[in-house]
Amino acid sequence: DGGITQSPKYLFRKEGQNVTLSCEQNLNHDAMYWYRQDPGQGLRLIYYSQIVNDFQKGDIAEGYSVSREKKESFPLTVTSAQKNPTAFYLCASSRDIFYEQYFGPGTRLTVT
Amino acid sequence: EDKVVQSPLSLVVHEGDTVTLNCSYEVTNFRSLLWYKQEKKAPTFLFMLTSSGIEKKSGRLSSILDKKELSSILNITATQTGDSAIYLCAVEAGYALNFGKGTSLLVTP
């Protein structure tokens, strides 16, 4: 079954701790993306990667970091520097940046 | 600054009604406009529109792009309760997608 998996589905952390969200795809897509969704808001781009070992900041990259060491994987770290980390995080991938994006099931992060 | 605006923000209709959702945009380097349906979790892809005036259809859903008016509509005919969801419009400009806030559709029996 081809698709995008994100884990975990729900994540709870204490303030001040870094946390890493996993995103894996087996669609052989070159491009991968991380978005954040807050209630009543559209999706906002955090980071994207066009190819392995390369990634670019999106609109709200502050307090986040990513890596792209393998084509299939694009983990997102939410650092303690992110002021409002509680949100729904969506990972997406596309054949390349000019094609439609497909989304994983998301991770709901709650920081208290 | 790139902007994507959807209207209405929420809508309640009865099963069997026809609905029209709107999306307008102001972006530089427009490449395409996409519609997604979001139920409890991740958005699922519906349509990608690149050319003005060409309608895309899938069952009871259809969408058309008007590049002159910088807008798109998504039509759903003979609505069913399973159509209840948030419908997201996104415009591809450059490297990624700019999303609107979505239209929340509730179809009542």
Side-chain angles (χ1 to χ4, degrees):
Chain A
D1 251 330
I4 304 171
T5 56
Q6 291 185 242
S7 61
K9 204 170 176 176
Y10 299 96
L11 192 51
F12 298 88
R13 277 294 182 270
K14 296 270 188 208
E15 209 173 286
Q17 292 179 332
N18 290 358
V19 60
T20 297
L21 281 58
S22 161
C23 177
E24 305 273 331
Q25 54 97 1
N26 60 5
L27 300 167
N28 201 32
H29 284 172
D30 282 320
M32 296 186 75
Y33 312 79
W34 274 105
Y35 293 91
R36 169 184 172 138
Q37 187 176 36
D38 295 282
Q41 301 283 331
L43 300 181
R44 292 183 290 166
L45 180 67
I46 305 172
Y47 268 97
Y48 71 101
S49 167
Q50 293 187 52
I51 54 170
V52 175
N53 292 323
D54 183 64
F55 49 83
Q56 306 293 332
K57 290 182 180 180
D59 301 317
I60 53 162
E62 189 176 341
Y64 300 98
S65 66
V66 293
S67 62
R68 185 86 188 277
E69 294 173 7
K70 296 188 299 181
K71 189 174 184 177
E72 305 78 30
S73 178
F74 191 41
L76 173 76
T77 297
V78 184
T79 75
S80 54
Q82 167 50 232
K83 293 192 177 86
N84 296 300
T86 293
F88 185 53
Y89 290 87
L90 282 162
C91 176
S93 72
S94 61
R95 200 192 304 184
D96 69 31
I97 60 167
F98 304 112
Y99 286 82
E100 63 269 20
Q101 297 177 24
Y102 293 87
F103 289 82
T107 292
R108 191 165 296 280
L109 172 65
T110 303
V111 176
T112 55
Chain B
E1 188 186 321
D2 292 345
K3 197 162 64 170
V4 179
V5 178
Q6 290 185 246
S7 63
L9 286 181
S10 65
L11 193 52
V12 182
V13 300
H14 291 297
E15 219 169 5
D17 288 351
T18 292
V19 298
T20 298
L21 310 184
N22 300 284
C23 176
S24 64
Y25 61 90
E26 287 177 34
V27 301
T28 50
N29 301 316
F30 174 89
R31 216 191 290 278
S32 63
L33 185 144
L34 298 94
W35 284 98
Y36 288 86
K37 176 182 181 183
Q38 184 175 20
E39 295 174 269
K40 295 235 186 306
K41 36 190 186 180
T44 52
F45 172 74
L46 295 175
F47 298 112
M48 182 177 190
L49 304 161
T50 53
S51 301
S52 212
I54 297 175
E55 186 182 46
K56 292 232 175 160
K57 287 197 80 162
S58 176
R60 295 176 294 101
L61 277 67
S62 64
S63 184
I64 196 160
L65 176 66
D66 186 338
K67 277 185 172 176
K68 197 173 167 188
E69 296 296 324
L70 304 182
S71 65
S72 172
I73 58 170
L74 175 69
N75 277 323
I76 309 175
T77 58
T79 51
Q80 301 170 359
T81 54
D83 295 325
S84 297
I86 296 172
Y87 290 85
L88 292 167
C89 170
V91 174
E92 190 178 13
Y95 52 78
L97 298 175
N98 298 287
F99 283 85
K101 291 187 179 180
T103 293
S104 178
L105 173 66
L106 177 62
V107 182
T108 60

